Amino acid sequence: MRSSFPIFGKDDETIYNPNELLSLFLDCTADGFAIVDMENRFLRINHKYTEIFGYTEEDLIGRTFYEFSNPDFVPGIISQVKNGKAFTNMITKRFHKDGYMLDIAVSYSPFRNKHGKIIAIIAIYRDITKIVSMEHELNRTRELYELITENTTDMIKVINKDKVIVYASPSHEKVISLKPDQVVGRSLSEFLSPEEDAILDKKLAEIIETGEPQILRKKFTTCEQITVYTEYNFSPIYNENKEIESFVSVGRNITDRVRQDATIRNLDRLSITGQLAAGVAHEIRNPLTSLKGFSKLLQTCSIRRSKRITLPSS
């Protein structure tokens, strides 16, 4: 068997021996790589291992992994690997040389010689600290959103472009007496009159064209025959390509506001009616005052004339 051979074709005329090829592979891989012998001593690490954990070859080669911090289950895993079992993508916590914690995905495999005998253990490490941190942040954000949607009195819905409801907040039961599972999967058109549905189509088209939120108002009767007025604010939801793929609707019960507005309008009408009545009374009172004055004047003239007629002659 040849001990040196070209491997990358005509573009690379370099002749590689097996040791050089192994070194090339270890230095180019994106994962941390360590080889441990059957006495648990480090035989080899690559550059990525040093980047992840901070330890150099001088720190590790010839020393056992027991001399470094490891999770409690590692010795048991190593024993099973020595018996031929492999473990892949185990999520663990490890320490950097400087003492801070890392999230590491690690795989262990037996390293066999050409006769099939296990002569060492291969450990492959991947730093997933940033990924785990983002997942934790995403979970916290999701929990926060769930807390908000489960406790808000506003009705929050997500609909796709076909107007099918894909999410409904628990507040729907409080406002319109429908549980979320009675709403999700149904078309929003089922809850609208033909006129309201046509207005909604127009609003959604405007959102797609302009990207601006739109408002829709609706009056409906609940299962308990209670009239409820609601106002919905529709906003676009974009995908990773900055394309609108769905809409979020935030609905609010404005029944009290509508009733207050109606009361205020009635008061305004009463006020106007009162002002009109006062104006009419004023216009009527003016000629009546004149008539009253003329009436008194005529009465006075009549009395004087009567006295002049009844005086005795001298």
Side-chain angles (χ1 to χ4, degrees), residues 257-277:
R257 191 174 79 190
V258 171
R259 289 173 180 170
Q260 289 172 0
D261 290 343
T263 301
I264 291 173
R265 286 195 296 271
N266 288 334
L267 291 175
D268 289 341
R269 283 195 289 267
L270 289 174
S271 176
I272 293 172
T273 302
Q275 292 176 10
L276 179 62

Side-chain angles (χ1 to χ4, degrees), residues 97 174 184 219 258 299:
K97 182 180 179 180
K174 301 176 184 176
V184 173
K219 172 187 175 182
V258 171
Q299 187 178 9

Side-chain angles (χ1 to χ4, degrees), residues 230-243:
T230 54
E231 182 179 80
Y232 297 88
N233 188 307
F234 287 86
S235 300
I237 298 177
Y238 295 89
N239 59 21
E240 61 274 6
N241 297 321
K242 305 299 181 182
E243 299 171 341

Side-chain angles (χ1 to χ4, degrees), residues 71-237:
D72 294 338
F73 63 84
V74 170
I77 294 292
I78 296 298
S79 297
Q80 295 183 66
V81 174
K82 290 178 180 178
N83 291 322
K85 187 173 182 180
F87 297 85
T88 59
N89 288 324
M90 300 177 61
I91 308 302
T92 66
K93 296 283 188 182
R94 300 295 175 94
F95 285 99
H96 189 272
K97 182 180 179 180
D98 294 336
Y100 57 84
M101 186 76 73
L102 298 169
D103 292 288
I104 300 294
V106 58
S107 299
Y108 296 100
S109 301
F111 188 14
R112 302 175 186 271
N113 62 16
K114 64 180 180 180
H115 303 293
K117 181 181 178 181
I118 298 174
I119 58 174
I121 298 165
I122 297 175
I124 302 174
Y125 303 87
R126 177 165 295 180
D127 186 359
I128 59 171
T129 304
K130 290 183 179 179
I131 297 175
V132 171
S133 178
M134 286 190 292
E135 288 179 349
H136 288 167
E137 185 64 29
L138 181 61
N139 289 334
R140 284 195 294 268
T141 302
R142 186 182 293 112
E143 291 172 359
L144 178 60
Y145 284 156
E146 289 177 354
L147 182 64
I148 293 173
T149 56
E150 289 176 2
N151 291 278
T152 183
T153 57
D154 290 343
M155 295 177 290
I156 301 175
K157 285 190 289 291
V158 176
I159 63 172
N160 60 22
K161 283 189 173 182
D162 296 325
K163 296 187 292 186
V164 175
I165 302 169
V166 297
Y167 171 80
S169 63
S171 51
H172 282 75
E173 185 173 6
K174 301 176 184 176
V175 180
I176 62 175
S177 302
L178 289 175
K179 296 180 180 180
D181 56 7
Q182 295 176 292
V183 176
V184 173
R186 298 171 64 181
S187 173
L188 190 56
S189 300
E190 298 180 38
F191 303 93
L192 303 174
S193 66
E195 294 80 8
E196 291 170 335
D197 195 31
I199 293 174
L200 175 62
D201 288 338
K202 183 178 178 180
K203 297 287 187 182
L204 296 182
E206 290 180 9
I207 293 175
I208 293 174
E209 181 179 353
T210 66
E212 297 293 329
Q214 299 292 327
I215 294 177
L216 176 67
R217 291 187 177 181
K218 174 176 173 54
K219 172 187 175 182
F220 62 91
T221 303
T222 66
C223 300
E224 291 80 12
Q225 301 302 310
I226 300 174
T227 300
V228 177
Y229 297 87
T230 54
E231 182 179 80
Y232 297 88
N233 188 307
F234 287 86
S235 300
I237 298 177

